[in-house]
Amino acid sequence: QVQLQESGGDSVQAGRSLRLSCATSGITYRQYCMGWFRQAPGKAREGVATINQYGGPAYTPSVKGRFTISQDNARNTLFLQMNSLKPEDTGMYYCAAGEGVTCVPEAGRMNYWGEGTLVTISS
């Protein structure tokens, strides 16, 4: 059974950093695309970052250079390091896993989702 549990969301001021974590079970990273998605109030969900089965990352343009996706295979944990946060980064952040999917943020087709962790950035 696949389980994903996010943590690390917080309310911080613009310019600060946050690190999100996603504890996973039932997943072998070399078989799955892993990703972070977010949904701002009143907006559609969007892909933020993905990491493919070979460890290759991809980012949506608005976070490139500020966010870093990584995974710790030994601890079965996915991370999202977010630096230079902006108010427009505010939203619920979801961890997701997909098998046999196109592994880029804009694809959005994942098989498993966590419940989300809230990130609020104030100006």
Side-chain angles (χ1 to χ4, degrees), residues 13-55:
Q13 288 188 321
R16 302 294 293 273
S17 297
L18 284 174
R19 189 192 198 200
L20 304 184
S21 298
C22 175
T24 69
S25 61
I27 286 178
T28 303
Y29 285 161
R30 63 177 178 271
Q31 294 180 329
Y32 281 83
C33 167
M34 301 297 298
W36 288 96
F37 296 76
R38 67 186 178 190
Q39 188 166 20
K43 294 188 177 181
R45 186 180 64 203
E46 66 168 341
V48 176
T50 55
I51 186 166
N52 65 24
Q53 295 89 324
Y54 310 105

Side-chain angles (χ1 to χ4, degrees), residues 12 16 24 29 38 50 52 55 62 70 74 77 84-85 91 112 119:
V12 299
R16 302 294 293 273
T24 69
Y29 285 161
R38 67 186 178 190
T50 55
N52 65 24
S62 65
S70 62
T77 305
S84 303
L85 284 160
Y112 304 100
V119 172

Side-chain angles (χ1 to χ4, degrees), residues 3-9 19-24 35-37 77-78 92-97 112-118:
Q3 292 185 323
L4 308 172
Q5 180 64 60
E6 304 91 338
S7 62
R19 189 192 198 200
L20 304 184
S21 298
C22 175
T24 69
W36 288 96
F37 296 76
T77 305
L78 182 73
M92 187 70 79
Y93 282 69
Y94 299 92
C95 172
Y112 304 100
W113 296 86
E115 295 185 349
T117 186
L118 183 62

Side-chain angles (χ1 to χ4, degrees), residues 76-117:
N76 295 322
T77 305
L78 182 73
F79 301 101
L80 184 68
Q81 178 68 41
M82 306 188 294
N83 299 329
S84 303
L85 284 160
K86 303 176 181 180
E88 51 263 44
D89 294 320
T90 293
M92 187 70 79
Y93 282 69
Y94 299 92
C95 172
E99 188 173 21
V101 301
T102 300
C103 198
V104 292
E106 55 268 29
R109 290 186 174 272
M110 307 293 262
N111 304 117
Y112 304 100
W113 296 86
E115 295 185 349
T117 186

